[in-house]
């Protein structure tokens, strides 16, 4: 599989990574054995960039990844995240309480927890999962920089940070990558964040590059999803928003048909062609989808193709998250 660097002087990773969240959380039923086989197959195919977080599960996804890579650690570029805390509710009917913590003490303790669960001596890329508005970013990144000095972390990242926050963070310690949602139907980063990253030499790691699977055409109604799948209640997947967004999927299907590739491959190829230091990390928990996604790295689009696709497929109707979720992005 071909490679990319995370920024002009950054580490080399596979041009398409593997988002592992859905193997343990948020996307309905999980199958640990199939997940382990999927990770193993990814490494066999040269997909070495694995992405997890301490809040996926919580904690179960890190343990899963740790077990999967134990005998193959040297083949993996391992990314995880901290900062979103999920604490149990008062009882079965009380949902977990979610908060964001970027305090220096929590940075240190979260890292120790991730290292232990992953069973590794260092984390290759350590992200702040969401920016804590109650803690100056300089304090958070200062604590993250200490982890680099101690050899526990190799590279630092942010997730869903604003352009201003990225600049302030980068002034404290070099930021290698910023992770945010980016796809044909989510292009919020293009006006300010992407130019900032290009200026500073920071990579964009694009999560949900398939529009949470929707652009691949794998489902057309939330009723087709598992009962525990959070997309069943997502703003883009219900009501009038769903009806409008289904029109986008039909356009992606038509464009993909012209090139004799799948809709998902077209969507991934488009993201890859938006910049040489953009690395999409489509999530999957099945080998068949993994192999389809990885094949997108070999698809070549012309500049005219990229522009035509962007013009034919406008951005989605509806916000990415509910109101509470949207308050945590671009901070």
């Amino acid at each position: 599989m071909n490679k990319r660097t995370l920024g002009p002087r950054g580490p080399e990773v596979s041009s398409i990574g593997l988002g592992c969240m859905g193997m343990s959380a948020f996307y309905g039923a999980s199958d640990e054995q199939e997940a382990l086989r999927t990770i193993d197959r990814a490494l066999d195919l040269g997909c070495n960039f694995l992405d997890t977080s301490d809040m996926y599960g919580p904690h179960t996804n890190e343990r899963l990844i740790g077990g999967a890579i134990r005998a193959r650690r040297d083949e993996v570029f391992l990314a995880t995240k901290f900062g979103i805390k999920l604490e149990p509710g008062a009882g079965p009917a009380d949902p977990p309480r979610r908060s964001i913590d970027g305090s220096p003490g929590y940075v240190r303790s979260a890292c120790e927890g991730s290292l232990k669960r992953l069973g590794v001596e260092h984390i290759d890329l350590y992200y702040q999962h969401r920016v804590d508005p109650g803690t100056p970013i300089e304090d958070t990144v200062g604590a993250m920089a200490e982890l680099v000095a101690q050899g526990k972390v190799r590279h630092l990242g942010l997730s869903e940070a604003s352009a201003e926050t990225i600049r302030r963070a980068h002034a404290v310690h070099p930021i290698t990558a910023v992770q945010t949602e980016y796809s044909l139907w989510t292009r919020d980063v293009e006006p300010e964040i992407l130019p900032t990253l290009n200026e500073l030499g920071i990579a964009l790691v694009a999560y949900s590059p398939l529009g949470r699977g929707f652009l691949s055409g794998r489902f057309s109604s939330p009723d087709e999803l598992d009962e525990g799948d959070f997309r069943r209640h997502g703003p883009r997947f219900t009501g009038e928003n769903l009806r409008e967004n289904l029109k986008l999927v039909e356009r992606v299907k038509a464009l993909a048909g012209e090139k004799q590739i799948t809709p998902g491959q077209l969507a991934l190829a488009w993201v890859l062609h938006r910049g040489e230091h953009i690395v999409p990390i489509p999530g999957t928990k099945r080998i068949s989808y993994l192999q389809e996604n990885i094949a997108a790295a070999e698809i070549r689009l012309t500049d005219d193709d990229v522009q035509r696709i962007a013009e034919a497929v406008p951005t989605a109707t509806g916000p990415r998250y509910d109101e509470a979720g949207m308050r945590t992005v671009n901070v």
Side-chain angles (χ1 to χ4, degrees):
M1 187 176 182
N2 49 28
K3 304 289 185 181
R4 290 196 164 186
T5 58
L6 296 180
R9 294 170 296 281
E12 188 177 75
V13 299
S14 53
S15 57
I16 294 178
L18 175 59
C20 299
M21 179 186 78
M23 296 175 178
S24 303
F26 303 113
Y27 284 91
S30 59
D31 182 336
E32 183 172 318
Q33 292 307 308
E34 177 66 8
L36 292 172
R37 287 191 290 268
T38 300
I39 294 168
D40 210 41
R41 182 60 176 155
L43 298 180
D44 289 343
L45 294 172
C47 174
N48 72 335
F49 187 10
L50 304 185
D51 182 270
T52 182
S53 170
D54 62 1
M55 69 87 66
Y56 299 159
H59 300 163
T60 53
N61 197 241
E62 285 187 327
R63 294 190 184 103
L64 174 74
I65 304 309
I69 68 172
R70 185 165 295 120
R72 306 183 70 171
R73 176 65 180 98
D74 293 343
E75 301 175 52
V76 176
F77 187 87
L78 179 61
T80 191
K81 315 176 198 73
F82 75 92
I84 300 178
K85 297 169 68 174
L86 290 177
E87 298 172 310
D94 187 15
R97 292 186 295 274
R98 176 170 169 157
S99 61
I100 297 174
D101 193 342
S103 63
Y106 185 70
V107 172
R108 292 187 282 268
S109 65
C111 182
E112 291 299 331
S114 288
L115 289 169
K116 182 176 181 180
R117 287 185 293 272
L118 291 163
V120 298
E121 295 182 354
H122 73 272
I123 295 163
D124 295 302
L125 176 57
Y126 199 42
Y127 294 101
Q128 182 181 21
H129 204 158
R130 289 292 188 272
V131 175
D132 177 5
T135 302
I137 192 64
E138 291 82 0
D139 292 352
T140 302
V141 176
M144 294 169 73
E146 292 175 8
L147 300 174
V148 176
Q150 294 164 5
K152 297 176 180 179
V153 169
R154 296 281 173 84
H155 303 277
L156 302 185
L158 303 175
S159 180
E160 294 289 6
S162 67
E164 178 188 356
T165 297
I166 293 165
R167 289 184 182 279
R168 289 169 55 195
H170 194 66
V172 176
H173 186 280
I175 300 299
T176 295
V178 169
Q179 183 176 134
T180 189
E181 186 171 351
Y182 185 48
S183 67
L184 266 171
W185 79 346
T186 301
R187 305 180 207 169
D188 310 38
V189 300
E190 291 184 345
E192 293 185 10
I193 292 174
L194 199 51
T196 299
L197 301 183
N198 291 336
E199 176 192 338
L200 298 176
I202 300 171
L204 174 67
V205 175
Y207 77 82
S208 295
L210 298 176
R212 306 192 189 282
F214 194 68
L215 296 178
S216 68
R218 291 171 189 155
F219 69 96
S220 58
S221 165
D223 295 335
E224 300 171 37
L225 301 171
D226 289 347
E227 192 64 37
D229 193 314
F230 85 108
R231 291 172 295 182
R232 288 176 65 93
H233 310 289
R236 292 182 173 179
F237 305 116
T238 55
E240 184 60 30
N241 291 346
L242 174 66
R243 286 186 282 276
E244 289 299 313
N245 291 330
L246 283 170
K247 298 175 185 177
L248 305 186
V249 176
E250 291 306 312
R251 295 179 188 179
V252 175
K253 287 180 180 178
L255 292 164
E258 293 176 10
K259 293 193 171 292
Q260 297 183 317
I261 58 178
T262 69
Q265 288 172 334
L266 182 94
L268 284 172
W270 184 85
V271 171
L272 283 166
H273 283 76
R274 292 295 294 141
E276 61 180 325
H277 301 296
I278 297 176
V279 179
I281 53 167
T284 186
K285 48 189 176 181
R286 297 181 177 89
I287 290 177
S288 58
Y289 293 157
L290 167 80
Q291 294 177 156
E292 177 186 324
N293 292 342
I294 287 176
E298 305 302 323
I299 295 169
R300 295 291 172 260
L301 300 178
T302 66
D303 290 344
D304 286 344
D305 287 333
V306 173
Q307 182 174 348
R308 178 171 169 249
I309 293 167
E311 291 172 352
V313 185
T315 54
T317 300
R320 295 195 274 145
Y321 298 104
D322 62 16
E323 185 177 346
M326 290 304 298
R327 287 197 294 269
T328 69
V329 303
N330 198 35
V331 178

